[in-house]
Amino acid sequence: MRFRRLLILGSVVALLASAWAPAQAGSRSNYRARLLRMINDRRVHHDIRRLDINLKLSRYAKRHSAEMADRRRLFHTNDLYSRVRAYRATAWGENVGVGGTLHRVVRAFMKSDAHRYNVLNRRFAKTGIGVVKRGGRVWITQIFYG
């Protein structure tokens, strides 16, 4: 009986530890997934289909975010069409932002007409997302296309 209680207690502790670990480990390494979820939540709230992630474009977006963080300033991709041309895009856009948290940047996107237009554009079906955390700030590049 005592062995059974220890086995159950051990299982509960292991379950709690496994549930806690991904949240802690993923909090720094999973910014892209969190940002995608936040953007898609807003799209669904407006009856717009969710965006699918493009991992290759996300690698570029992350490099762009790192470059913005290095320079400590926001700037857009010079020739965005060259980045989405391979995907036969007929519409494309880009949001860049920096802030203390992902939530703050997304909130700022939704308060800006141009950024909000990209987030809620029905023509966009895919996205590339790059997030870099540096100096206590998150630097975001999100490229949309459809």
Side-chain angles (χ1 to χ4, degrees):
M1 186 74 161
R2 184 178 180 144
F3 177 73
R4 178 183 249 177
R5 283 187 191 154
L6 285 175
L7 184 61
I8 291 171
L9 180 61
S11 298
V12 169
V13 169
L15 180 64
L16 289 173
S18 68
W20 176 257
Q24 292 298 311
S27 63
R28 289 192 60 103
S29 64
N30 211 6
Y31 287 120
R32 181 178 57 218
R34 289 173 51 204
L35 181 61
L36 179 63
R37 186 173 50 251
M38 284 188 265
I39 294 297
N40 277 335
D41 286 349
R42 276 136 184 100
R43 288 175 65 90
V44 168
H45 179 75
H46 287 86
D47 295 323
I48 303 168
R49 71 178 230 100
R50 294 176 183 276
L51 295 168
D52 295 322
I53 195 76
N54 177 321
L55 295 176
K56 184 175 181 182
L57 192 58
S58 292
R59 285 190 290 276
Y60 165 77
K62 187 167 186 176
R63 285 192 309 270
H64 186 82
S65 293
E67 191 173 343
M68 291 190 304
D70 289 344
R71 294 184 188 182
R72 294 187 184 109
R73 68 180 182 88
L74 294 172
F75 54 91
H76 287 279
T77 299
N78 282 335
D79 183 10
L80 187 56
Y81 177 67
S82 69
R83 294 290 165 188
V84 297
R85 175 180 27 217
Y87 310 113
R88 297 184 177 165
T90 58
W92 53 91
E94 179 182 51
N95 285 355
V96 295
V98 61
T101 67
L102 290 176
H103 287 284
R104 287 182 181 157
V105 176
V106 171
R107 193 168 45 231
F109 283 168
M110 297 308 289
K111 288 181 179 180
S112 157
D113 289 340
H115 293 93
R116 181 182 173 90
Y117 176 82
N118 284 337
V119 169
L120 300 179
N121 191 325
R122 293 179 184 278
R123 294 180 66 193
F124 297 149
K126 305 255 185 194
T127 188
I129 296 173
V131 181
V132 171
K133 183 166 185 178
R134 197 164 300 146
R137 303 182 85 179
V138 290
W139 296 80
I140 295 171
T141 302
Q142 184 169 16
I143 299 170
F144 305 86
Y145 68 95

